[in-house]
Amino acid sequence: MLYQRCCFRLLLQKIKLIKIITIMSLVGKKFPCIAVDAISEMGEKLKINIFEEAVNNNKKVLLFWYPKDFTFVCPTELHAFQAALPEFNKRNTIVIGASCDTNEVHFAWLNTPKNNGGIEGVTYPILADTNRNLSNILGILDIDSTEYSEETDSVIIEGSNVTFRATYLIDETGKIFHESVNDMPLGRNVN
């Protein structure tokens, strides 16, 4: 047990170091090659690997993150991306949304009318990074601090642990050529 705790502490230290490193810009680097759960507008459960989407389809990918489903700013952004889809298609670009909510919550929001704060009518896929693997690698989680508790043998996280508003443009080779990360209250202009 002592050995496991020591290994866990070392792992935590490495995670903190990785977090510090990933906070730096990812522009010019390959997008992480990791598959994430997602859902289509029809409720089909998918696994999407952003890197492979770009490379295998020879298309650019616009991946945008928002904090949570069923909030007041987020549906405006999702509808704006939907309205701009024809322009993105002209530019050989796939649009994908993402948050840490589950596929089931995404699907409920996709079936909620726009006038009730929903995103009914959105047709692009939405990632469900519930395990926060991709958002952690990207360094976009709202985490103030982490602390290991020997008493509970667990990591205690301070902060909301949801994503900031982030936007990534990935080229056809899987390289990130644009990255933007906003704090929670700051929305973004799709135009």
Side-chain angles (χ1 to χ4, degrees):
M1 188 70 160
L2 180 60
Y3 175 75
Q4 288 176 325
R5 284 191 177 140
C6 289
C7 289
F8 192 70
R9 280 192 199 122
L10 286 173
L11 178 63
L12 247 177
Q13 289 171 344
K14 286 181 182 179
I15 290 170
K16 286 180 182 178
L17 179 59
I18 290 169
K19 178 100 174 110
I20 291 167
I21 292 169
T22 58
I23 290 172
M24 295 179 190
S25 177
L26 296 173
V27 172
K29 296 177 176 67
K30 292 289 184 186
F31 196 85
C33 188
I34 180 174
V36 179
D37 289 337
I39 196 157
S40 72
E41 81 275 9
M42 299 304 290
E44 179 185 0
K45 291 186 178 183
L46 313 165
K47 280 275 194 193
I48 295 180
N49 182 317
I50 300 297
F51 178 84
E52 289 177 357
E53 285 292 314
V55 174
N56 294 345
N57 294 309
N58 196 33
K59 291 184 179 272
K60 295 177 200 73
V61 175
L62 181 138
L63 171 65
F64 71 95
W65 293 81
Y66 58 92
K68 294 188 233 176
D69 294 1
F70 293 101
T71 59
F72 67 95
V73 174
C74 298
T76 306
E77 291 182 332
L78 274 79
H79 286 295
F81 278 110
Q82 179 64 36
L85 269 183
E87 194 58 39
F88 286 116
N89 288 333
K90 284 184 205 171
R91 296 176 183 191
N92 195 39
T93 304
I94 300 168
V95 174
I96 300 173
S99 84
C100 295
D101 285 312
T102 65
N103 273 335
E104 293 77 18
V105 173
H106 288 335
F107 192 59
W109 203 28
L110 281 162
N111 285 292
T112 302
K114 187 176 181 178
N115 62 350
N116 285 342
I119 58 168
E120 187 176 53
V122 165
T123 60
Y124 49 81
I126 301 174
L127 298 184
D129 189 29
T130 54
N131 58 20
R132 291 159 171 75
N133 286 338
L134 182 56
S135 51
N136 188 44
I137 291 168
L138 296 173
I140 59 172
L141 288 170
D142 181 22
I143 298 175
D144 297 327
S145 66
T146 57
E147 184 179 321
Y148 173 71
S149 168
E150 283 191 40
E151 183 180 321
T152 61
D153 195 27
S154 60
V155 177
I156 308 299
I157 295 174
E158 292 292 325
S160 68
N161 200 27
V162 296
T163 64
F164 292 113
R165 294 179 198 290
T167 309
Y168 294 88
L169 286 170
I170 298 101
D171 72 13
E172 297 87 346
T173 68
K175 185 175 81 173
I176 299 168
F177 67 96
H178 171 80
E179 170 187 42
S180 172
V181 182
N182 299 348
D183 198 0
M184 296 299 179
L186 187 61
R188 75 192 120 204
N189 185 343
V190 175
N191 298 324

